[in-house]
Amino acid sequence: MKNNLDLPAVTPFPFPVTVLGAGKIGRTIAAMLHGTGDYAVTVADRDSHCLAALPNGVAARLADPTDPDVCAALLDGAGAVLNALPFHAAVPVATVAAALGVHYFDLTEDVAATRAIRALAADARAVLMPQCGLAPGFIGVVGHELAQRFLRHGGELIELRMRVGALPRYPSNALKYNLTWSTEGLINEYCNPCDAIVDGRRVEVPALEGLERFALDGIEYEAFHTSGGLGTLPETLAGRARHVDYKSIRYPGHCAVMKLLLDDLRLRERRDWLRDIFDSAIPQTQQDVVVIFASATGRVAGADGTPGPLTQASFSARVGGADTPDGHLNAIQLTTAAGICAALDMVVGGQLPRHGFVRQEDIALSDFLANRFGRHYTCHPLQEALA
């Protein structure tokens, strides 16, 4: 059985990758990679209809990637695997990839899965890099860059706040929300505990709490705690920041309806019911916008090491969808696929480590935005600013 431990020092061209999952995100990943000509892409899924929608030139394998033996066969000869399956498949696939020495990337927001994958990476001779999407993913790159503006010269980071939302541009229901990505992942974020740093201590806070309202470019939003968005930043910034948190952005009123469903109607205890309700009652949309806002507050140290005045640094972006030769990509497809493709590109190109656990904060924001995939964050903006 081939694996990347057998590959020569020079990266083969085109680089062989396997994408697991042929849903909207998996197909977008495959199209982006295939379009460069630098990757030989194979996509595996158990749904023949999804595979039929793949771009010409992308190899399709009808199989169940969640079966460990099948997964091992699918990764035979691959240099990397990009896992676009639901979050509960993250650890099983990563386990197979680690055993075979195949670079592993995923989009999971699940905190427990990420911890398990990190444990697998202790002796790994290939990369294990989970959480490579938008949030977690790109927002961790942004948050770390803002934090380092204060910390790199011995300054003080008081507060780091990160906010992300994938929203319909034209909401028309009581939730003021449309489905734009994985229903399972959405429910997972709304139900699981959320990592944060409060008063300098790493803590867990409940999802759907910490409700706040704010305006950005004249549009009113609300935000509240959801699970997984911080990635590994709480560990990275432990003991170095007073307050770090992540919240999902929605239109005002969404949180109250979700609390009704999850708490008052106790659907938190029946996630399968909630998934069925969402999938059958909430329409999907191609007309979405990804809203990103992050801010850091602290004191930059002067040349003599003396803390300077209290200052704030921020990043904001509103990214829309795009028309491509393979069809229209909505904003969440575009940003999520761009994140994982950029991570792969930087590992293959030698900009990131080639083995072990790799965090999103190991990526420099300037390198990400300069990457041919990362540039999608600035090529399709409704607005973008770094101050």
Side-chain angles (χ1 to χ4, degrees):
M1 181 177 290
K2 296 180 182 179
N3 57 58
N4 77 332
L5 300 183
D6 303 319
L7 297 176
V10 177
T11 299
F13 179 85
F15 189 79
V17 300
T18 297
V19 178
L20 301 183
K24 289 182 179 181
I25 302 298
R27 293 198 302 270
T28 304
I29 292 168
M32 282 187 177
L33 295 176
H34 175 70
T36 67
D38 293 336
Y39 293 94
V41 184
T42 299
V43 179
D45 199 292
R46 59 187 178 186
D47 188 327
S48 59
H49 296 290
C50 289
L51 291 172
L54 291 170
N56 292 332
V58 173
R61 298 280 300 275
L62 182 62
D64 182 1
T66 62
D67 181 289
D69 292 334
V70 173
C71 184
L74 291 169
L75 301 192
D76 185 14
V81 56
L82 284 72
N83 183 0
L85 298 170
F87 70 89
H88 48 73
V91 176
V93 174
T95 301
V96 173
L100 297 179
V102 175
H103 294 318
Y104 173 85
F105 305 83
D106 73 27
L107 305 166
T108 186
E109 77 293 331
D110 191 74
V111 175
T114 298
R115 291 171 180 162
I117 291 169
R118 181 165 192 164
L120 290 172
D123 300 314
R125 297 183 62 191
V127 161
L128 294 179
M129 190 172 184
Q131 303 184 317
C132 294
L134 168 62
F138 176 69
I139 191 62
V141 178
V142 170
H144 189 252
E145 165 64 23
L146 293 176
Q148 289 307 303
R149 293 188 177 198
F150 297 95
L151 295 174
R152 64 168 56 101
H153 299 302
E156 179 186 15
L157 176 61
I158 297 174
E159 185 176 80
L160 176 62
R161 298 185 181 275
M162 288 162 284
R163 310 289 185 258
V164 176
L167 302 170
R169 298 185 69 179
Y170 309 107
S172 59
N173 53 41
L175 278 171
K176 300 180 182 177
Y177 192 75
N178 291 92
L179 295 176
T180 58
W181 66 294
S182 163
T183 307
E184 286 185 287
L186 179 71
I187 294 170
N188 201 42
E189 289 185 354
Y190 281 1
C191 293
N192 289 353
C194 314
D195 288 337
I197 296 175
V198 177
D199 293 331
R201 297 182 300 108
R202 290 183 62 186
V203 299
E204 287 187 341
V205 296
L208 300 181
E209 297 301 325
L211 182 65
E212 64 186 34
R213 291 200 176 190
F214 66 97
L216 190 63
D217 303 317
I219 301 175
E220 294 286 336
Y221 300 106
E222 69 179 25
F224 47 86
H225 294 299
T226 54
S227 179
L230 282 180
T232 54
L233 271 177
E235 179 181 352
T236 301
L237 296 177
R240 308 177 70 197
R242 292 190 203 173
H243 189 100
V244 178
D245 69 9
Y246 169 85
K247 297 181 181 182
S248 285
I249 298 173
R250 298 291 185 260
Y251 294 119
H254 180 89
C255 185
V257 177
M258 286 307 308
K259 282 191 171 186
L260 169 67
L261 294 172
L262 290 171
D263 298 332
D264 296 349
L265 299 183
R266 299 177 62 179
L267 289 178
R268 187 185 301 276
E269 302 168 15
R270 299 302 305 265
R271 297 191 191 188
D272 54 336
W273 288 12
L274 186 61
R275 183 185 66 244
D276 290 345
I277 291 170
F278 276 13
D279 285 339
S280 62
I282 302 178
Q284 299 184 9
T285 183
Q286 292 292 310
Q287 298 173 304
D288 66 336
V289 57
V290 165
V291 180
I292 304 165
F293 178 72
S295 66
T297 304
R299 302 179 190 275
V300 178
D304 61 354
T306 303
L310 189 67
T311 58
Q312 184 180 64
S314 63
F315 177 99
S316 68
R318 295 181 70 235
V319 184
D323 292 321
T324 74
D326 297 306
H328 180 80
L329 297 180
N330 64 23
I332 192 63
Q333 284 177 275
L334 190 72
T335 51
T336 302
I340 196 170
C341 289
L344 168 69
D345 222 28
M346 285 186 272
V347 168
V348 172
Q351 291 176 282
L352 290 173
R354 294 293 296 269
H355 64 87
F357 186 81
V358 180
R359 308 165 304 168
Q360 296 306 307
E361 50 265 42
D362 293 325
I363 303 174
L365 179 61
S366 58
D367 290 343
F368 183 98
L369 295 177
N371 180 269
R372 56 184 166 178
F373 300 113
R375 281 198 295 265
H376 283 291
Y377 276 82
T378 55
C379 289
H380 312 286
L382 300 180
Q383 179 178 6
E384 192 278 335
L386 180 61

